[in-house]
Amino acid sequence: MAAHIRRRLRKGATTTAVAAAAVAALAASQAPAAPLAEGSMGGDQQTAGGESGGPEDGAATGNSPYYTDLPPLVTPNRPGSSSNLPAATGSAEAGIPASVLAAYKQAERTVGTTDPACRLPWQLLAAIGKVESGQARGGQVDANGTTPTPILGPALNGQGFALIKDTDGGAYDGDAVHDRAVGPMQFIPSTWATWGQDANGDGRKDPNNIYDAALAAGRYLCAGGRNLAVAADLDRAVLSYNQSTEYLRTVRSWFAYYQRGTHEVPDGSGVLPTAPSTPTPSPTPSPGGTTSPTPGGTTSPKPSPSPSKPGGTKPTPGPSKPGDGTTSPTPTPTPPRPTPPPSPAETFGSLENAGTGPLTATAGSTFDERVSVRARNALGAPMAKVPVTFTVTGTTGTLFDGGKKTVTVISKADGTATAPALKAGEKTGEFTVTATAGTTRPRTLTYAASVTARQADKIVRVGDRALVAAPGEKFADAVTVKATHKGVAAPGVAVTATMVKDSLGLIDNDKGPYFKDADGKPLRTLDLTTGADGLLQLPEIFADENPGTYKLRLTTEGGGSVVIELTVQAPEETAPEETETPEA
């Protein structure tokens, strides 16, 4: 059985080795590579062999050379995995220097806070860092994460690479003639000027600092509203970094490898890659119809067409001008220039609460608090001129000032957008206010809000005439009360009227005065509502056959209460007048 397993392992390793060798051969020869999985390239697919098919200065790296080493054959043994993988170089290759690994993970957390919809995985940064600089040359960084000497790519002078003239006066790359890719993540200076970050808090945006460079790379990859959990978006992001399908394949390989498991190794002890890419320069026309030689070989001059001889081959019909007898050369189509990613300062990144407090109001009143949000760009800075749409959802009848359920507000210079005041509806209950901004990947914030019943902190009887009725009769005088809140009439306030036994109104009464329901049956508790002026006139009150003194207690939402005395007694009997008997 053991021998059988060993044979299977050897067979699998051999098959994988052949595939790896084939890929390496393709990379070295610049031959057309096998197509990627359907849909993986999206709309950014480049020509095979590493050529971008357009101007190369749109890439973050200027399409500088990179390492083409592929991951080892043996996958890393993920901590906690139940698989018992054989020992091989895989364990060493899976090691990432401590400071470099910390920088990748910190960048993932930071971007996850400011642009959570991007879903940036730190393993993608690790894959790019591996291909660009071998994880900062195996983790050769100081305690702050800065390389001892700058990591520089070759001069981008058009000889085998993009032609990018100096943009930084040599400040980052030491070259005042042409730009060079700089640092562990190999940014060209012009791209760094836009996307550079200060992630380690030292007050500098240093492309040679792994923390600064990793965060800049993360924000760059997320530009344009990408969701890196979507394969097509991830491919577009990697191709925006270096416009080469070979580069994409290599980064993808390391990304999948690191996703299967990694471990931390000491700074300076990472495994260094050895196989750099060797881009071929495009032929440059020279005077006389010749072309510039390609490194490693020569090209033959392209012969000019010979004039036609009598009886020879006729020129192709299609004169460029009527009657001149000449033919027009077929123009070579100019490939479209790739659209560069938008500047991070111009890219909407996130939406956050700008200090909105609890949203609660009584029915019919205006909310004291207004919903306020802050828009931030891809760099996390406040962003102006962002349209933010606020929407009320619920059944309370609450609306914004002006009677609208949806309003759009443009953010100010400090990034804030504040919705109009909310006017509470008449129905109590919960509702929500949603703020939405962005079109490609909208960001939303949802606020819970509530409408409570109208309140009155005081209720009093209007009038002081004694309320008396004979047994079995009704009270002649109606009971009227007025509810107020902070001294102002409180309309629409719920009032509960209850017949009680004690002066505190804690014990309900089952005899004495009563109201009547719709069927004329006795009812000793009623729920009522004050009118527009805070006044409430109670329905008719009747007395049963039990004489005595009773209590009527009225309470309101908000704590107001009053106890009114009701008396049931027989009318006093009037003594007959004495008539005098005349004396005889």
Side-chain angles (χ1 to χ4, degrees):
M1 180 65 178
H4 177 65
I5 294 175
R6 284 195 296 272
R7 285 196 300 274
R8 290 179 62 188
L9 286 173
R10 285 197 299 273
K11 182 179 179 182
T14 302
T15 303
T16 310
V18 171
V23 173
L26 286 172
S29 67
Q30 297 293 297
L36 293 177
E38 182 178 355
S40 66
M41 294 298 294
D44 290 324
Q45 186 167 355
Q46 310 294 326
T47 56
E51 297 302 322
S52 69
E56 296 178 312
D57 58 355
T61 64
N63 291 349
S64 292
Y66 51 89
Y67 290 107
T68 60
D69 298 36
L70 294 174
L73 302 181
V74 179
T75 60
N77 193 353
R78 183 193 299 273
S81 170
S82 60
S83 60
N84 185 18
L85 299 174
T89 57
S91 60
E93 287 285 0
I96 299 178
S99 293
V100 177
L101 181 60
Y104 296 150
K105 292 184 175 181
Q106 176 179 297
E108 179 192 62
R109 291 192 300 270
T110 302
V111 174
T113 299
T114 60
D115 189 5
C118 176
R119 301 176 69 181
L120 170 73
W122 67 262
Q123 293 91 342
L124 179 59
L125 297 175
I128 291 175
K130 178 72 173 180
V131 173
E132 290 294 349
S133 68
Q135 310 297 20
R137 293 175 176 163
Q140 297 287 344
V141 296
D142 62 20
N144 293 321
T146 304
T147 60
T149 57
I151 299 177
L152 299 176
L156 299 175
N157 56 13
Q159 302 300 311
F161 311 107
L163 173 60
I164 304 179
K165 295 183 179 180
D166 176 66
T167 60
D168 66 330
Y172 291 119
D173 55 13
D175 190 331
V177 179
H178 297 97
D179 271 348
R180 298 169 181 256
V182 182
M185 305 304 280
Q186 288 290 278
F187 279 95
I188 56 174
S190 58
T191 305
W192 184 259
T194 300
W195 292 90
Q197 302 288 304
D198 175 19
N200 65 347
D202 64 356
R204 298 180 59 218
K205 297 178 181 180
D206 185 357
N208 288 294
N209 180 274
I210 185 60
Y211 291 95
D212 295 356
L215 181 56
R219 295 201 189 281
Y220 183 90
L221 293 168
C222 289
R226 298 186 184 108
N227 177 359
L228 300 184
V230 176
D233 274 8
L234 188 144
D235 288 345
R236 291 187 186 97
V238 175
L239 286 169
S240 75
Y241 214 86
N242 189 309
Q243 299 168 4
S244 161
T245 52
E246 177 197 351
Y247 179 84
L248 173 61
R249 293 175 194 279
T250 308
V251 169
R252 273 285 201 173
S253 298
W254 283 105
F255 177 48
Y257 180 75
Y258 287 140
Q259 282 185 312
R260 289 192 291 270
T262 61
H263 60 272
E264 179 183 302
V265 298
D267 288 345
S269 64
V271 177
L272 293 173
T274 58
S277 63
T278 54
T280 302
S282 302
T284 302
S286 300
T290 62
T291 57
S292 302
T294 301
T298 60
T299 58
S300 301
K302 186 174 181 180
S304 301
S306 302
S308 300
K309 297 180 180 179
T313 303
K314 295 181 180 180
T316 303
S320 58
K321 295 181 182 179
D324 67 358
T326 62
T327 59
S328 300
T330 302
T332 301
T334 302
R337 181 182 180 88
T339 302
S343 163
E346 299 173 350
T347 302
F348 173 64
S350 62
L351 200 63
E352 65 182 28
N353 185 3
T356 305
L359 295 169
T360 303
T362 58
S365 66
T366 299
F367 282 73
D368 293 332
E369 196 74 20
R370 293 170 65 180
V371 178
S372 183
V373 300
R374 177 174 283 105
R376 293 189 180 276
N377 61 23
L379 297 177
M383 188 172 185
K385 299 182 180 179
V386 176
V388 181
T389 300
F390 298 91
T391 304
V392 175
T393 304
T395 59
T396 64
T398 300
L399 299 170
F400 292 110
D401 270 354
K404 296 182 179 180
K405 296 188 70 171
T406 299
V407 295
T408 299
V409 180
I410 306 300
S411 65
K412 299 186 295 186
D414 62 354
T416 60
T418 302
L422 286 163
K423 178 76 172 181
E426 291 299 330
K427 185 176 180 181
T428 61
E430 307 292 327
F431 69 96
T432 60
V433 180
T434 302
T436 304
T439 53
T440 305
R441 282 183 302 157
R443 310 297 202 275
T444 61
L445 285 177
T446 300
Y447 297 83
S450 62
V451 176
T452 59
R454 295 173 183 262
Q455 297 184 349
D457 52 21
K458 187 176 183 180
I459 184 170
V460 297
R461 181 189 170 196
V462 177
D464 56 1
R465 185 170 176 175
L467 299 170
V468 181
E473 302 292 334
K474 71 176 180 180
F475 287 80
D477 295 313
V479 177
T480 301
V481 294
K482 182 174 183 178
T484 58
H485 181 67
K486 297 181 180 178
V488 179
V493 174
V495 177
T496 300
T498 307
M499 300 297 178
V500 295
K501 290 182 178 180
D502 61 313
S503 58
L504 295 178
L506 301 179
I507 304 173
D508 293 355
N509 207 341
D510 56 359
K511 63 181 182 179
Y514 61 89
F515 304 104
K516 286 184 179 181
D517 64 12
D519 296 327
K521 296 180 180 180
L523 190 67
R524 290 186 166 86
T525 298
L526 280 180
D527 290 324
L528 306 164
T529 304
T530 61
D533 51 3
L535 292 174
L536 170 63
Q537 181 174 308
L538 275 62
E540 292 180 326
I541 303 175
F542 300 85
D544 63 9
E545 300 298 332
N546 299 290
T549 301
Y550 299 91
K551 309 290 184 183
L552 169 62
R553 182 171 185 256
L554 295 98
T555 59
T556 69
E557 291 284 347
S561 68
V562 63
V563 176
I564 299 172
E565 190 172 279
L566 302 172
T567 303
V568 178
Q569 68 178 24
E572 295 181 2
E573 295 183 2
T574 303
E577 293 184 0
E578 295 183 2
T579 57
E580 294 183 1
T581 303
E583 295 181 356

